[in-house]
Amino acid sequence: MLTLKALRDDPDGIVAKLAVKNFEARPIVEKVLELDALRRSLQQESDSLLAEQKKKAAEIGGLMKQGLKAEAEAVKAQVAELKARSQELLAKGDAAAQELQDNLVLLPNTPCAMVPEGKSAADNVIVKEGGPDVKLPEGALPHWELAKKYDIIDFDLGVKITGAGFPVYKGKGARLQRALINFFLDRNAAAGYRETEPPVVVNAASGFGTGQLPDKEAQMYYVGLDDFYLVPTAEVPLTNIYRDVILSGDQLPQMITAYTPCFRREAGSYGKDVRGLNRLHQFDKVEIVRVEKPEDSYAALDAMIAHVESLVRDLGLKYHILRLCGGDMSFTSAITYDFELWSAAQGRWLEISSVSNFETYQANRLHLRYRDEAGKPQLCHTLNGSSLALPRVVAALLEDNQTPDGIVIPEILRPYTGFDIID
């Protein structure tokens, strides 16, 4: 959530920055500032009435001592009138504050200066490419056909048990999933991230804290009886560990990682791009989250990008890294880099990671702060990244490593899988 101070200090600048996200912010910004002025005016008037109320209340005792009962009663009536008026102003102030908040959360995060202008994924900028060229054997198959051929992922069985988008992993397919999760967690831990196992259902306050609510409510699975949401990403419970927390400066950075299943309704998704593992309602993902001082957050972002790149590179996969344009960024992000893997069997790029800096946007919603050298509370910066999301990694591994004799497991994964080929 943007801060009121930022909006008061430079409303035109905020409007211009949000235009990079193709968001028309001026009507909301003007409404927020109008409500802020009203709220402060009501508070000032209420404070003035309260001071007058206290002054007159002090007069009552003196009048009673002088035996001026009638005069004291008259002052009591004035105090009661002032109190009623003050309460009325406070109620109006509370209503203005709530309306202000309701409008403030409608504003997305402002993109940083490095974010390119653009309206869609077609305008994203490739900043790096890597990995070997993929040479498929004759008669190569897409991963959903490989999964059926080797009986390692059963999409039809998932439909029977639950519905489309809930695959069943079997045999070496299940072991490959577990191997990748352990590999990613071990590598994250070696890079300094503390392993955590959070809940996979969260309350509405947690969804609001990281910006999933109210922006992405339609994409989340809701457990109505308990007013909980299934997590769309481990970012939500991990970042909410720090909700309503004030850290000391020497406690930063905070670096944590977790594996969770993730649940997304993916409303509106259809067509060829949803086949197989390309788009699921339930999938496994390992996440990394950092909490940083503002002056350190962009160096931390670079370190996260380099770390994710090392995972993809060591798996022997062809990839590129994109800096997302304003029109393709999330509501909450100040800057995002996407990693995509090349699927030669499908002839398309598959997104497997997003690494983002949210600057103070989430921290303001979370009331997440640290004490600076002067002991004054300041908003932290939060960052997160997929490290990594499994489905499309598995899809690329199966497709890119297929041979006439079976699917060869990358050497770095073999200590985790316990086998070197799926046949």
Side-chain angles (χ1 to χ4, degrees):
M1 183 168 63
L2 299 179
T3 64
L4 275 172
K5 185 179 185 304
L7 290 169
R8 291 182 196 133
D9 289 349
D10 188 15
D12 291 337
I14 296 292
V15 170
K17 287 179 180 179
L18 288 179
V20 176
K21 281 192 170 183
N22 303 304
F23 187 90
E24 177 47 64
R26 188 167 297 281
I28 300 175
V29 169
E30 290 178 352
K31 183 67 173 177
V32 166
L33 294 177
E34 175 189 324
L35 289 165
D36 181 45
L38 174 61
R39 178 184 61 84
R40 288 194 288 170
S41 174
L42 290 167
Q43 184 64 56
Q44 186 177 17
E45 188 177 352
S46 175
D47 290 344
S48 178
L49 288 175
L50 181 60
E52 182 67 17
Q53 179 184 330
K54 288 181 178 179
K55 179 181 177 183
K56 286 190 174 297
E59 294 176 9
I60 295 172
L63 291 170
M64 293 295 287
K65 286 179 181 178
Q66 297 175 50
L68 301 173
K69 186 175 181 181
E71 289 82 350
E73 291 298 326
V75 175
K76 283 183 181 180
Q78 293 175 13
V79 169
E81 184 179 341
L82 289 168
K83 184 176 181 180
R85 175 62 179 151
S86 179
Q87 289 175 339
E88 181 184 343
L89 290 172
L90 286 173
K92 288 182 178 180
D94 288 344
Q98 184 59 57
E99 188 177 357
L100 185 156
Q101 182 76 5
D102 292 344
N103 279 272
L104 191 57
V105 298
L106 299 177
L107 293 170
N109 197 3
T110 51
C112 82
M114 291 186 291
V115 172
E117 294 185 4
K119 294 185 177 181
S120 69
D123 300 312
N124 294 336
V125 177
I126 299 173
V127 296
K128 192 170 185 180
E129 297 176 306
D133 290 331
V134 180
K135 296 181 180 180
L136 295 179
E138 186 176 348
L141 301 173
H143 70 270
W144 54 86
E145 293 186 24
L146 291 168
K148 186 173 183 179
K149 177 179 178 180
Y150 295 107
D151 194 27
I152 54 174
I153 308 172
D154 196 324
F155 298 100
D156 293 334
L157 186 55
V159 172
K160 172 186 173 181
I161 296 170
T162 307
F166 295 89
V168 175
Y169 298 87
K170 303 161 65 176
K172 288 185 175 180
R175 289 171 66 184
L176 177 59
Q177 287 282 113
R178 179 158 51 90
L180 282 166
I181 291 166
N182 289 336
F183 170 65
F184 294 146
L185 286 173
D186 284 353
R187 288 288 294 268
N188 293 349
Y193 293 89
R194 183 181 184 184
E195 186 173 347
T196 308
E197 186 175 342
V200 297
V201 292
V202 295
N203 54 32
S206 293
F208 175 83
T210 45
Q212 274 67 33
L213 297 176
D215 180 52
K216 297 182 178 68
E217 188 167 5
Q219 295 294 343
M220 298 172 72
Y221 282 101
Y222 178 59
V223 185
L225 189 63
D226 299 300
D227 195 25
F228 290 150
Y229 294 85
L230 302 184
V231 297
T233 166
E235 168 201 347
V236 181
L238 288 181
T239 312
N240 272 277
I241 289 171
Y242 302 98
R243 176 157 43 98
D244 298 321
V245 169
I246 301 179
L247 299 164
S248 61
D250 59 9
Q251 288 179 292
L252 294 175
Q254 291 284 309
M255 301 168 58
I256 52 178
T257 184
Y259 152 71
T260 65
C262 301
F263 305 88
R264 299 182 187 178
R265 294 186 61 243
E266 298 289 2
S269 298
Y270 60 91
K272 65 178 182 178
D273 291 346
V274 305
R275 292 199 67 179
L277 297 171
N278 287 344
R279 196 173 297 276
L280 301 177
H281 295 304
Q282 177 181 331
F283 59 95
D284 293 324
K285 182 155 70 82
V286 176
E287 194 81 358
I288 50 176
V289 166
R290 295 178 72 138
V291 180
E292 296 277 351
K293 294 178 181 178
E295 62 267 27
D296 298 331
S297 72
Y298 276 88
L301 179 66
D302 290 341
M304 293 171 75
I305 292 167
H307 175 66
V308 173
E309 183 181 8
S310 74
L311 299 177
V312 178
R313 184 179 60 243
D314 289 351
L315 287 173
L317 299 170
K318 182 178 177 63
Y319 65 92
H320 65 198
I321 306 172
L322 305 170
R323 185 186 299 138
L324 299 194
C325 71
D328 199 32
M329 286 172 60
S330 75
F331 189 86
T332 52
S333 174
I335 188 168
T336 295
Y337 290 85
D338 273 4
F339 284 73
E340 294 183 337
L341 300 179
W342 175 247
S343 167
Q346 298 179 63
R348 58 189 293 259
W349 290 97
L350 306 174
E351 180 195 334
I352 50 92
S353 177
S354 287
V355 182
S356 301
N357 189 343
F358 303 97
E359 297 187 353
T360 61
Y361 191 85
Q362 287 183 334
N364 193 30
R365 298 169 77 109
L366 293 159
H367 303 120
L368 165 57
R369 294 163 291 171
Y370 75 101
R371 294 194 185 277
D372 63 17
E373 292 181 355
K376 184 179 178 181
Q378 304 284 357
L379 288 172
C380 298
H381 279 196
T382 62
L383 306 92
N384 83 272
S386 313
S387 179
L388 289 162
L390 269 68
R392 294 171 184 172
V393 171
V394 171
L397 284 173
L398 297 180
E399 292 174 356
D400 294 359
N401 293 288
Q402 59 183 300
T403 72
D405 298 320
I407 300 165
V408 178
I409 299 299
E411 187 173 347
I412 200 165
L413 277 183
R414 293 174 191 175
Y416 292 90
T417 59
F419 56 85
D420 56 12
I421 194 168
I422 298 173
D423 54 12

